[in-house]
Amino acid sequence: AFFDVNRGYGLYTGDVKARHPQMFIECDELELFMVRQENNAADGAKPPKPTPSVAKDADILAPPPKPASDPGSAIEKADARGPMVTVEKITESGELQIGHCKHLIYDGKTGNSTLLEWPQVQAGNKLHKATEPGCVMVIDEKGMLTTTGGHETIILQGEEATPKSRGGVAPAAPAPSQQ
């Protein structure tokens, strides 16, 4: 792992497993580009001192999710590569989506995850699978899938019909039925 705080750049290689409030990524190489904090050092003003705060274990282990469009979101871009990149994300309706590809780009400004090089995405019993290497699949911040290029949709049956999380991403529990 390598991280340059001054440039807001990190490179992680090997068996990389990264958890973000909106998703889980598993890959061989992950490049992170962090949002650079503006400071007023250029005009001679000192940057503001951080306000002391008390952090609870829960805050450190699982920070509350922020919308990708929130200016406080720390990741500007993440670029994941490898022979098999896996991304897990929960849709707005609470359904688990699992995508596989060889190259994934996450845009922190929009919350979009772009799957490149033979992508496939499973949600429920539907598997959307590329039929050509140039197919591009984009999962937006809310979990909507958009596909450009040759692809097919396969309806899965049996045990394959339910995606299983490897990264501990759990779909929302079904709402209790009202009677």
Side-chain angles (χ1 to χ4, degrees):
F2 168 80
F3 196 81
D4 183 340
V5 176
N6 296 325
R7 290 182 21 212
Y9 172 80
L11 176 64
Y12 302 87
T13 59
D15 185 22
V16 181
K17 294 178 177 142
R19 184 171 311 285
H20 184 269
Q22 282 85 27
M23 74 183 78
F24 168 79
I25 297 174
E26 188 173 0
C27 59
D28 284 355
E29 184 175 287
L30 178 64
E31 273 188 291
L32 288 179
F33 301 87
M34 308 304 286
V35 174
R36 302 223 12 200
Q37 299 297 321
E38 298 293 326
N39 65 25
N40 298 328
D43 62 10
K46 291 183 180 177
K49 290 185 178 179
T51 308
S53 63
V54 177
K56 300 178 192 96
D57 284 346
D59 296 333
I60 295 167
L61 298 175
K66 293 181 182 180
S69 57
D70 180 346
S73 188
I75 297 175
E76 183 175 325
K77 177 183 169 189
D79 198 334
R81 292 176 295 276
M84 177 62 71
V85 175
T86 300
V87 61
E88 298 180 5
K89 189 168 181 157
I90 301 295
T91 67
E92 193 172 55
S93 64
E95 183 177 42
L96 174 64
Q97 288 178 311
I98 298 179
H100 300 285
C101 60
K102 294 182 181 194
H103 187 186
L104 177 126
I105 300 170
Y106 170 75
D107 183 338
K109 292 180 183 124
T110 63
N112 291 351
S113 297
T114 303
L115 288 77
L116 306 161
E117 298 180 44
W118 294 105
Q120 67 179 42
V121 175
Q122 181 181 354
N125 68 341
K126 293 181 184 85
L127 175 65
H128 301 276
K129 187 175 182 179
T131 58
E132 59 186 45
C135 178
V136 176
M137 296 185 184
V138 178
I139 303 173
D140 74 10
E141 182 178 354
K142 296 178 181 179
M144 294 294 298
L145 177 67
T146 305
T147 304
T148 307
H151 69 282
E152 64 184 349
T153 301
I154 301 168
I155 305 300
L156 302 172
Q157 296 180 5
E159 287 189 25
E160 294 179 325
T162 305
K164 293 171 185 50
S165 174
R166 292 179 53 180
V169 176
S177 60
Q178 296 182 5
Q179 299 192 13

